[in-house]
């Protein structure tokens, strides 16, 4: 805005300056011209007077009325009054051959000769000059026709105090008939007073306005001045007049127009600038909005991940002080996916909004809350030294988020797990602090959810261990000498006839020894290696299953595999390639997948079942609302988790639980497998409860494929320990 104003004012100033400058230039040139004109007018006047005189001085009659006797009347009429009346001359004097005045006229009337005599001293220089010119041959030249006019003498002279143009010329014959001896010519003196009247005439005739003759300059600014000097170079008077100043006149006329133009230009510029300013304001607002959107989460309006990371780096760069500690809380909802899948994405969005609302109410004014994405939130918390404060806050958060949410008319329960890392000892690496909080969160989730866990170095070691195992597993999948598949036989209701086996992944690492699937499966899942590992197990299982039609071969499947939409195709490809009958294959899934990706899981499960592949729900009872899922999803079998089976003893509460599970399953025409059967007592209880299939160390541990095949040839209940896999 100011730049435009400055620009406009500068332009106006420059334009105005230029106009003034050119007006001044015009005026200067005009003055120069007027002065030249005035100078020319004065010299023309000096030339004109003799010219006027010559109308009577080159005339035979004049000589005849002067010589030998003076005809005063005639002279007065023709050489005096005539000059006044016709030419406006103020004074006339006629001098005889001896330069004595013989006639004088002033202001149109004949006067006495005293005044003329008095004037002689001032006129003498001119008289002498004229006589010199005559005696010098001036008249001869004129009479010979070589000079255009007879000799003359004229100058500016102050005669009895009156500034006058004085001109003298000899009175001579026009016909040449009257011959006068040289030097005897009479002289006609004519004077024009440079006074007000004459000045007025100059003004009228030569357009020199308000002309006046003054001895002292008036000093009025718009008056022009021409100093006049006599022929001897002596200053005589000033000719003064009013300058025309056309530049100034033009200015007077154009300034209002120019001012008007500038005013209009100013108004237009103002309007344009105003509009521009409004537009740029709108643009700025749009940019700020876009920036806000880029830095904030749309759903909750909370800062987003990028914003959070920048903020964390910023607060850590300022270094936490003793009084002002910084803890980072990473928060993850525990059952968000289930809500999202069962109630829909809209409900999920509403839930996230409601969660952010509750969180907002709990955080202190200076703290920074952000949504990192999905169901992940982060909180930068400023607090006093010691772990109590963030822990207390975490507890409040967990408690608040543990209360039911009303989502689209249904009550939704989600919990929250929190990982806490405190920026200790001036820790300034934001990524390091975030990593620690993430590890703590991972630990919180892994150790039972709905809790807050402080980061400890040992967790980091665990994590490093996982990384190491991941690398080893990757290597193992590339080679063929570390991974294998064991089979744990499944027995029928009589718990002596083997109806099939469950394929279980086995990994022998030369450095780590035997690694438990309980350990490496979760690493394979989180690193994406599970797809290849699953393929490997499935292929081995199907190759064996193809050789023993009629036997059930169960294969464990990770939720990660099921989430892959191409997974069913891959399973059928393996079945086709190995030749195994789909009806002999049983896929074991855990409740997790139903909880997380209900729709995907249900679709895949329908495809499998339609081809005869059976579905078993593994580790039944350990998840959430297991019984509900039974109604909703197509499963053929549940496998009651070992944790229930191991507690089975007459009178124990587990008996009732297992009984309820079996009843419900049977009511839904679902078979029941008991996992981890280790004692005869358990077998007895389970048999009484109506379990269909038994699996456990009591009957057989997992064994090698070769051992299984040997057993399938001669089904017996126990195997040699040597063959245990
Ligand atoms: P799961 O599917 O429930 O497998 C049964 C687990 O219980 C096996 O452990 C088996 O060795 C163990 N077990 C069987 N009978 C008894 C018993 O009487 N007492 C006790 N204490 N344990 C018994 P394993 O082989 O260590 O596998 C652990 C888990 O790893 C499996 O649990 C399964 O969830 C997973 N897993 C194993 N192989 C695979 C695989 O190829 N793919 C996938 N996705 N998961 C697998
Ligand atoms: Mg299993
Ligand atoms: Mg199990």
């Amino acid at each position: 805005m100011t730049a435009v104003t400055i620009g406009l004012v500068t332009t106006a100033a420059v334009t105005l300056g230029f106009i003034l400058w050119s007006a001044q230039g015009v005026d200067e040139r005009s003055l120069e011209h007027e002065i030249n004109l005035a100078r020319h007018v004065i010299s023309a006047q000096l030339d004109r007077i003799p010219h006027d005189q010559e109308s009577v001085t080159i005339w035979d009659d004049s000589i005849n009325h002067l010589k030998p006797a003076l005809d005063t009347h005639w002279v007065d009429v023709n050489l005096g009054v005539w000059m006044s009346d016709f030419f406006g001359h103020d004074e006339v004097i006629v001098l005889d051959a001896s330069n004595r005045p013989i006639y004088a006229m002033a202001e149109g009337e004949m006067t006495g000769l005293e005044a003329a005599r008095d004037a002689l001293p001032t006129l003498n220089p001119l008289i002498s000059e004229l006589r010199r010119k005559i005696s010098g041959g001036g008249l001869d030249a004129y009479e010979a026709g070589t000079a255009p006019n007879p000799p003359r003498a004229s100058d500016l002279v102050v005669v009895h105090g009156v500034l006058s143009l004085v001109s003298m010329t000899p009175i001579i014959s026009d016909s040449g008939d009257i011959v006068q001896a040289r030097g005897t010519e009479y002289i006609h003196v004519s004077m024009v007073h440079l006074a007000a009247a004459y000045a007025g005439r100059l003004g009228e005739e030569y357009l020199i306005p308000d002309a006046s003759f003054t001895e002292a300059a008036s000093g009025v600014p718009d008056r022009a001045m021409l100093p006049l000097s006599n022929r001897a170079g002596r200053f005589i008077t000033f000719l003064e007049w009013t300058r025309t100043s056309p530049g100034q006149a033009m200015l007077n006329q154009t300034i209002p127009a120019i001012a008007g133009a500038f005013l209009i230009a100013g108004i237009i510029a103002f309007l344009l600038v105003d509009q521009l300013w409004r537009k740029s304001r709108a643009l700025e607002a749009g940019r700020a909005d876009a920036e806000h959107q880029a830095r904030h989460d749309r759903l909750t309006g909370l800062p987003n991940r990028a914003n959070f990371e920048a903020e964390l780096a910023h607060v850590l760069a300022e270094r936490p002080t003793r009084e002002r500690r910084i803890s980072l809380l990473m928060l993850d909802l525990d059952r968000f996916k289930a809500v999202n899948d069962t109630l829909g994405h809209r409900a999920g969005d509403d839930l996230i909004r409601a969660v952010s609302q509750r969180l907002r109410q709990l955080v202190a004014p200076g703290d920074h809350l952000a949504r990192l994405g999905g169901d992940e939130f982060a909180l930068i918390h400023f607090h006093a030294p010691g772990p109590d404060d963030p822990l207390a806050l975490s507890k409040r958060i967990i408690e608040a988020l543990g209360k039911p949410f009303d989502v689209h008319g249904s009550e939704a329960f989600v919990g929250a797990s929190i990982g806490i890392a405190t920026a200790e000892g001036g820790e300034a690496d934001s990524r390091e602090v975030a990593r620690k909080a993430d590890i703590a969160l991972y630990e919180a989730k892994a150790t039972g959810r709905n809790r807050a866990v402080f980061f400890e170095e040992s967790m980091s070691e665990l994590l490093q261990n996982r990384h190491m195992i991941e690398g080893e597993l990757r290597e193992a999948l590339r080679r063929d000498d570390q991974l294998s598949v064991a089979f744990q036989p499944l027995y029928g209701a009589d718990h002596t006839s083997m109806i099939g086996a469950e394929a279980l992944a086995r990994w022998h690492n030369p450095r780590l020894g035997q690694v438990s699937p309980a350990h490496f499966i979760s690493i394979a899942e989180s690193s994406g290696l599970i797809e290849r590992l699953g393929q490997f197990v499935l292929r081995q299982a199907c190759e064996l299953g193809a050789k023993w039609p009629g036997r059930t071969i169960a294969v464990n499947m990770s939720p990660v595999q099921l989430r892959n939409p191409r997974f069913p195709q891959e399973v059928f490809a393996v079945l086709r390639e190995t030749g195994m009958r789909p009806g002999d294959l049983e896929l074991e899934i855990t409740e997790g997948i139903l909880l997380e990706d209900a729709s995907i899981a249900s679709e895949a499960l329908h495809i499998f079942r339609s081809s005869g592949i059976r579905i078993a729900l593994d580790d039944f009872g350990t998840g959430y609302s297991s019984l509900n899922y039974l109604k909703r999803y197509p499963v053929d079998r549940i496998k009651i988790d070992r944790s229930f089976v191991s507690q089975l003893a007459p009178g124990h509460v587990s008996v009732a639980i297992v009984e309820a599970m079996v009843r419900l399953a049977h009511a839904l025409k679902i078979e029941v497998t008991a996992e981890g059967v280790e004692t005869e007592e358990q077998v007895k209880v389970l048999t009484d409860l109506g379990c269909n299939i038994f699996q456990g160390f009591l009957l057989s541990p997992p064994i090698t494929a070769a051992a299984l095949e040997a057993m399938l040839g001669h089904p017996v209940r126990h195997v040699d320990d040597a063959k245990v896999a």
Side-chain angles (χ1 to χ4, degrees):
M1 195 76 174
T2 39
V4 176
T5 315
I6 290 170
L8 206 70
V9 168
T10 311
T11 311
V14 167
T15 312
L16 202 70
F18 178 74
I19 290 170
L20 288 176
W21 176 76
S22 26
Q24 200 182 350
V26 168
D27 283 352
E28 272 169 19
R29 275 190 297 282
S30 154
L31 178 63
E32 216 171 288
H33 177 74
E34 282 175 22
I35 289 171
N36 281 337
L37 178 71
R39 187 175 284 128
H40 179 76
V41 165
I42 296 298
S43 77
Q45 287 301 308
L46 279 173
D47 273 358
R48 208 190 83 182
I49 299 169
H51 195 261
D52 295 346
Q53 288 171 289
E54 278 159 14
S55 63
V56 295
T57 58
I58 308 175
W59 192 16
D60 290 356
D61 284 1
S62 296
I63 303 171
N64 290 334
H65 289 94
L66 286 167
K67 291 177 182 177
L70 174 70
D71 178 350
T72 307
H73 178 71
W74 190 94
V75 167
D76 185 36
V77 171
N78 292 290
L79 299 187
V81 177
W82 170 258
M83 298 310 286
S84 168
D85 288 354
F86 200 76
F87 298 112
H89 295 186
D90 296 299
E91 280 182 61
V92 170
I93 300 169
V94 179
L95 302 172
D96 67 7
S98 319
N99 300 335
R100 278 189 304 251
I102 54 164
Y103 167 81
M105 185 281 297
E107 315 289 333
E109 274 174 34
M110 191 169 76
T111 59
L113 297 174
E114 299 78 36
R117 281 190 206 105
D118 287 348
L120 273 182
T122 43
L123 298 175
N124 264 337
L126 276 182
I127 298 167
S128 317
E129 183 191 334
L130 183 63
R131 291 283 180 210
R132 258 199 318 278
K133 279 184 184 168
I134 294 167
S135 59
L139 256 179
D140 299 329
Y142 172 69
E143 281 167 5
T146 53
N149 33 41
R152 303 161 171 180
S154 59
D155 203 357
L156 279 172
V157 184
V158 181
V159 187
H160 18 257
V162 179
L163 177 63
S164 310
L165 288 169
V166 179
S167 173
M168 302 179 185
T169 187
I171 298 167
I172 56 172
S173 161
D174 60 327
S175 61
D177 294 345
I178 303 172
V179 179
Q180 302 182 87
R182 279 289 170 264
T184 63
E185 296 87 0
Y186 284 19
I187 291 173
H188 188 266
V189 180
S190 213
M191 287 182 247
V192 174
H193 294 166
L194 294 186
Y198 178 73
R201 252 180 30 229
L202 271 189
E204 279 165 28
E205 282 174 35
Y206 300 96
L207 304 178
I208 298 178
D210 312 323
S212 65
F213 292 96
T214 66
E215 273 173 43
S218 68
V220 178
D222 63 345
R223 298 283 283 167
M225 259 175 1
L226 174 66
L228 298 176
S229 306
N230 66 9
R231 296 226 330 267
R234 270 190 47 210
F235 168 74
I236 304 296
T237 186
F238 284 113
L239 171 60
E240 247 194 33
W241 67 97
T242 303
R243 334 174 22 175
T244 46
S245 305
Q248 186 62 44
M250 178 200 73
L251 270 191
N252 293 347
Q253 273 186 346
T254 52
I255 284 280
I258 290 168
F262 269 115
L263 193 71
I264 291 168
I267 290 171
I268 291 171
F270 174 78
L271 291 178
L272 279 177
V273 167
D274 185 58
Q275 205 177 17
L276 217 74
W277 189 65
R278 273 167 210 273
K279 275 202 185 140
S280 81
R281 267 247 305 225
L283 223 73
E284 173 61 25
R287 195 192 59 75
D289 197 45
E291 196 171 276
H292 181 89
Q293 275 186 19
R295 292 171 54 78
H296 289 81
D297 167 50
R298 279 235 181 134
L299 192 59
T300 60
L302 287 174
N304 61 13
R305 183 183 286 276
N307 194 345
F308 156 77
E309 282 170 357
E311 189 60 44
L312 183 63
H314 174 71
V315 298
L316 289 179
E318 283 184 349
R319 300 275 161 145
T321 59
R322 259 175 178 284
E323 297 73 36
R324 202 159 165 270
R325 282 295 176 85
I326 296 170
S327 276
L328 175 59
L329 279 69
M330 288 286 194
L331 188 148
D332 196 290
L333 300 183
D334 287 339
R335 277 177 298 277
F336 172 68
K337 222 153 169 49
V339 174
N340 212 17
D341 289 341
T342 46
L343 298 177
H345 289 287
R346 284 266 198 87
D349 284 355
D350 284 355
L351 180 64
I352 289 294
R353 260 194 293 267
V355 166
S356 76
Q357 225 29 58
R358 282 189 196 177
L359 286 174
R360 271 193 173 113
Q361 283 165 4
L362 288 171
V363 303
D367 291 2
H368 298 282
L369 178 66
R371 180 182 176 217
L372 306 184
D375 57 351
E376 268 181 89
F377 292 85
L379 175 65
I380 302 169
H381 178 51
F382 295 91
H383 60 91
D388 300 352
D389 185 353
L391 213 54
L393 175 64
S394 300
K395 272 187 189 150
R396 285 203 299 278
I397 291 174
I398 290 169
E399 199 181 286
L401 299 184
K403 289 179 187 151
F405 287 87
D406 178 28
V407 182
H408 291 195
S410 331
E411 272 199 338
F413 288 89
V414 294
S417 301
I418 297 176
I420 309 167
T422 300
E424 304 273 13
E427 175 117 63
D429 186 348
S430 61
R431 270 177 304 183
E432 184 59 18
V433 177
R435 189 186 71 88
K436 286 179 174 176
D438 267 333
I439 293 171
L441 173 61
Y442 180 87
E443 187 68 15
K445 280 182 163 301
T447 53
R449 298 170 182 255
N450 227 20
R451 53 198 301 244
V453 170
F454 256 103
F455 170 80
E456 283 165 23
E457 280 307 327
S458 61
M459 295 175 192
S460 191
E461 280 163 28
L462 269 176
L463 207 70
Q464 273 170 12
N465 184 34
R466 283 175 68 88
H467 280 305
M468 186 271 289
I469 291 192
E470 184 190 319
E472 292 286 341
L473 185 59
R474 203 177 288 277
E475 172 65 14
L477 278 164
R478 268 198 287 269
R479 9 189 345 139
D480 59 0
D481 58 346
Q482 291 191 18
L483 291 167
S484 62
V485 177
F487 293 89
Q488 184 174 31
L490 300 164
Y491 290 89
D494 62 356
H495 42 87
T496 49
S497 56
M498 198 207 304
I499 61 130
E502 177 182 0
L504 294 162
R506 289 292 177 265
W507 178 22
H508 181 83
N509 178 281
R511 226 156 38 85
L512 306 167
Q514 199 71 27
V515 188
S516 161
H519 193 37
F520 71 78
I521 291 293
S522 74
I523 295 174
E525 282 175 335
S526 62
S527 61
L529 294 173
I530 193 69
E531 307 242 7
R532 268 148 70 196
L533 180 65
Q535 272 275 328
F536 168 76
V537 175
L538 181 69
R539 190 166 286 274
Q540 302 277 311
C542 290
E543 273 167 6
L544 188 135
K547 285 192 252 172
W548 301 92
R551 309 301 176 119
T552 296
I553 301 295
V555 180
N556 293 285
M557 234 171 341
S558 157
V560 178
Q561 286 171 282
L562 252 183
R563 245 178 256 142
N564 178 358
R566 289 194 348 269
F567 181 59
Q569 283 164 259
E570 286 170 14
V571 171
F572 288 113
V574 173
L575 285 175
R576 199 181 58 240
E577 284 161 28
T578 55
M580 183 180 179
R581 303 191 315 196
D584 291 339
L585 180 64
E586 189 165 287
L587 296 178
E588 294 191 6
I589 61 169
T590 52
E591 287 170 310
I593 181 68
L594 301 178
L595 218 60
E596 287 168 17
D597 278 303
S599 57
I600 296 173
S602 139
E603 198 181 313
L605 297 188
H606 275 109
I607 296 172
F608 288 137
R609 291 191 87 223
S610 63
S611 72
I613 296 174
R614 272 164 294 148
I615 305 296
L617 204 50
D618 207 350
D619 305 338
F620 190 81
T622 55
Y624 305 99
S625 16
S626 310
L627 298 174
N628 273 338
Y629 285 104
L630 284 187
K631 279 189 266 175
R632 219 184 297 161
Y633 297 102
V635 300
D636 301 277
R637 192 195 303 282
I638 57 170
K639 297 184 78 173
I640 294 176
D641 193 67
R642 204 168 66 225
S643 57
F644 297 102
V645 174
S646 65
Q647 290 171 12
L648 283 180
H652 195 273
V653 67
S654 296
V655 179
I657 296 173
V658 174
E659 190 180 1
M661 289 179 186
V662 175
R663 278 231 193 108
L664 179 85
H666 284 171
L668 295 167
K669 309 244 179 317
I670 292 170
E671 285 190 320
V672 179
T673 297
E675 279 189 315
V677 180
E678 290 180 343
T679 64
E680 293 288 355
E681 196 180 23
Q682 289 161 359
V683 175
K684 190 177 173 311
V685 177
L686 289 163
T687 309
D688 289 348
L689 291 176
C691 268
N692 307 90
I693 294 164
F694 297 82
Q695 178 184 11
F697 289 171
L698 175 70
L699 306 164
S700 168
I703 53 176
T704 60
L708 180 75
E709 289 197 65
M711 278 176 66
L712 283 169
H714 313 278
V716 285
R717 216 181 102 168
H718 296 285
V719 289
D720 301 348
D721 280 354
K723 289 173 188 166
V724 169

